Amino acid sequence: MTEFQSSATSGSAVDMLGIVKDFDTFRAVDDVTLKIQPNEFFTLLGPSGCGKTTLLRLMAGFETPTTGSILLGTKDISRLPPNHRPINTVFQSYALFPHMTVAENIGFGLKMLGRSRSEIKVTVDEMLRLVRLEGRGDSLVTRLSGGQQQRVALARGLAPRPQILLLDEPLSALDLKLRQSMQIELKRLQAETGITFVFVTHDQEEALTMSDRIAVMNAGKVLQVGSSRDIYEHPADRFVAGFIGETNFLQGDLEAVDGMSGTVRLKNGVRVSAGLSEEAPRHGAITIVIRPEHIEITDVGAAGSIAATVATVVYFGTDTHIHTHLADGTPVIIRQQNRRDGSRAPQTNALIGLVLPLGASQVLRD
C-alpha cells in the first residue's frame, strides 16, 4: 500500500484548502475549499469559464495553485509533478494512440510504470471485461465507435488503479442516446471499482444523474455543494436555482417568518408559504423560486390562485410544458406529466389559475 493510499483511508480523498489560481490578471479559481470523500462520484458543475476545468487541472498537477493547498490524505501534493500523483485523467478528446490496438492503449500506462508483461495482460483483460469490450483487444482504436473509444479511454485511466480518476467532460462528443447510456456505465464503473471519480461537466442532467455530490461553480467560486436532490430542491441562491434545471422566479414581500418558513405576499396580493434558506433575508422585498412541476393548475379566480394566461403549450412525450405569463408579464412555466386518463393541457390563450402548494416555493438571496 502506498503512502497516498494509507493516508487517504483516514479521512477525505482530496482536500482543497483556500485554492486560488491566477493567470496574469485573471483569477480563474477564487478561494475554493472542497472536501471530496473516498469512493465518491463528485461532480464540478458550471458554465464555460467558471473555473471547473482549471480546478481539475490543479488536482491532476497540470497547473500549480497561486495560493492554497491540495491534500491527498495528509500529504500536500500542491507542487508534486503529475506523474508522482496516484491520479489519472480521462480527457474530453480521449487522447488515444491511433496506431495502437485497444489492448496496447489500455496497457500503455502500466508499461510506463514498469509492470511485467504478465501483470499487464491480466490487468488489460480485467479492464476489457469491466468496460464490456471483451474480444476487441486486438482491434485498432480507429476501428471503434465513439462510445467504444470512450470506454477504452476509461479502461486506460482505470488500469493502474489510481486513487482518484479525473474526468474532463468525457461524454460531450457523444450523441444523446449514447451519452445517456454512458452515464449509467460511468456510475457502474465507479461503484464496481470503488475509485473516487471527480467529473467535470456543464450538463446539468449528467451531474444530477451520476453524482453522489455536486459542487456548483461560477466565476471561479464554489456556490453550493450537496447531493443532486439538495442542489435541485434547495438551491442556495438565484444562480444555482436558474442553472440547475428550469425554474420560476416570482417577486413579492416577506411579511412574516416562522422558523425556516415565511409568508410571502405576491404582487397580485396572493399570500403563499415559502421555505427559507439560512442565507435568505427575513423581511422586505424578496424573490421566491418554484420548480415547474410543483405548480398546480386550477380554475381562474379560485381562492389562493394566481391568474395567468397560457402563451405556449409544448408536448415532450413524457410531459407537457405550459408557458404562461402573469398580469404583470412575469413568465411562469408549468410542467405536467402526461397521463392516459384523458386529461389535457389547457389551450393557448386560456385564462387559468396557478396554485403554489404549501412548502413548494423557497425564498432565495439574489
Side-chain angles (χ1 to χ4, degrees):
M1 183 174 286
T2 69
E3 60 178 314
F4 294 105
Q5 291 169 327
S6 61
S7 62
T9 57
S10 60
S12 304
V14 181
D15 278 349
M16 307 194 80
L17 307 174
I19 296 296
V20 172
K21 180 59 182 177
D22 293 327
F23 294 100
D24 296 326
T25 59
F26 175 68
R27 178 152 293 182
V29 177
D30 189 1
D31 193 22
V32 167
T33 293
L34 282 175
K35 288 182 179 291
I36 301 172
Q37 301 303 322
N39 308 328
E40 183 173 38
F41 199 122
F42 190 90
T43 297
L44 300 171
L45 173 68
S48 297
C50 72
K52 57 189 185 296
T53 295
T54 301
L55 205 57
L56 201 78
R57 291 176 60 82
L58 288 163
M59 288 188 228
F62 302 137
E63 302 287 352
T64 302
T66 304
T67 60
S69 300
I70 303 172
L71 304 182
L72 208 61
T74 58
K75 185 177 180 63
D76 190 340
I77 62 168
S78 306
R79 269 77 186 163
L80 207 62
N83 61 318
H84 289 177
R85 304 184 186 201
I87 296 174
N88 270 0
T89 305
V90 177
F91 298 98
Q92 183 176 354
S93 62
Y94 310 153
L96 299 174
F97 299 110
H99 63 286
M100 291 185 182
T101 66
V102 169
E104 289 168 341
N105 268 278
I106 294 173
F108 180 79
L110 298 172
K111 185 178 180 180
M112 293 298 100
L113 292 171
R115 306 289 172 81
S116 67
R117 286 187 179 182
S118 60
E119 182 182 352
I120 291 174
K121 184 180 186 313
V122 169
T123 303
V124 168
D125 287 345
E126 180 187 348
M127 291 299 109
L128 287 170
R129 287 192 298 272
L130 188 67
V131 299
R132 297 173 178 170
L133 285 175
E134 301 97 323
R136 300 305 301 270
D138 293 332
S139 301
L140 287 173
V141 292
T142 53
R143 300 292 181 88
L144 303 182
S145 68
Q148 289 170 328
Q149 289 183 22
Q150 200 260 6
R151 290 168 188 256
V152 175
L154 284 169
R156 185 179 62 184
L158 292 167
R161 293 180 175 84
Q163 191 171 309
I164 312 290
L165 186 66
L166 308 177
L167 301 110
D168 187 9
E169 303 205 49
L171 308 184
S172 61
L174 305 179
D175 61 54
L176 177 61
K177 289 281 188 181
L178 186 53
R179 190 163 68 245
Q180 291 172 336
S181 173
M182 287 308 303
Q183 290 170 12
I184 298 170
E185 285 296 294
L186 273 178
K187 187 64 178 174
R188 177 185 66 83
L189 287 170
Q190 192 275 326
E192 288 190 20
T193 61
I195 293 172
T196 301
F197 279 22
V198 182
F199 186 86
V200 161
T201 185
H202 63 273
D203 188 306
Q204 303 96 330
E205 180 185 321
E206 282 184 359
L208 293 172
T209 299
M210 296 186 291
S211 310
D212 295 318
R213 287 191 303 147
I214 300 168
V216 182
M217 295 187 66
N218 190 41
K221 291 183 176 293
V222 172
L223 303 182
Q224 185 175 0
V225 179
S227 68
S228 297
R229 185 179 294 276
D230 288 340
I231 295 288
Y232 185 81
E233 295 189 357
H234 305 288
D237 61 18
R238 183 166 183 146
F239 177 86
V240 176
F243 189 75
I244 305 294
E246 288 184 304
T247 196
N248 296 296
F249 297 101
L250 303 175
Q251 305 300 314
D253 289 290
L254 187 58
E255 293 188 331
V257 174
D258 182 11
M260 297 302 291
S261 65
T263 300
V264 178
R265 185 178 185 274
L266 300 178
K267 287 185 176 181
N268 66 345
V270 174
R271 289 177 172 81
V272 297
S273 175
L276 299 173
S277 66
E278 293 183 359
E279 300 85 359
R282 289 321 196 243
H283 61 82
I286 53 85
T287 298
I288 68 171
V289 60
I290 184 165
R291 297 292 183 182
E293 65 272 19
H294 293 158
I295 299 176
E296 299 174 359
I297 294 178
T298 187
D299 295 330
V300 66
S305 68
I306 308 168
T309 301
V310 177
T312 309
V313 177
V314 183
Y315 178 80
F316 277 93
T318 56
D319 52 31
T320 296
H321 293 196
I322 304 159
H323 296 253
T324 73
H325 58 80
L326 308 185
D328 63 358
T330 300
V332 178
I333 302 173
I334 306 97
R335 184 184 300 127
Q336 286 187 332
Q337 187 173 6
N338 293 326
R339 301 189 301 269
R340 301 186 66 183
D341 59 4
S343 59
R344 292 288 185 271
Q347 299 297 309
T348 302
N349 297 323
L351 288 174
I352 59 175
L354 307 182
V355 176
L356 280 55
L358 184 66
S361 55
Q362 180 181 339
V363 174
L364 297 178
R365 71 176 189 269
D366 287 331

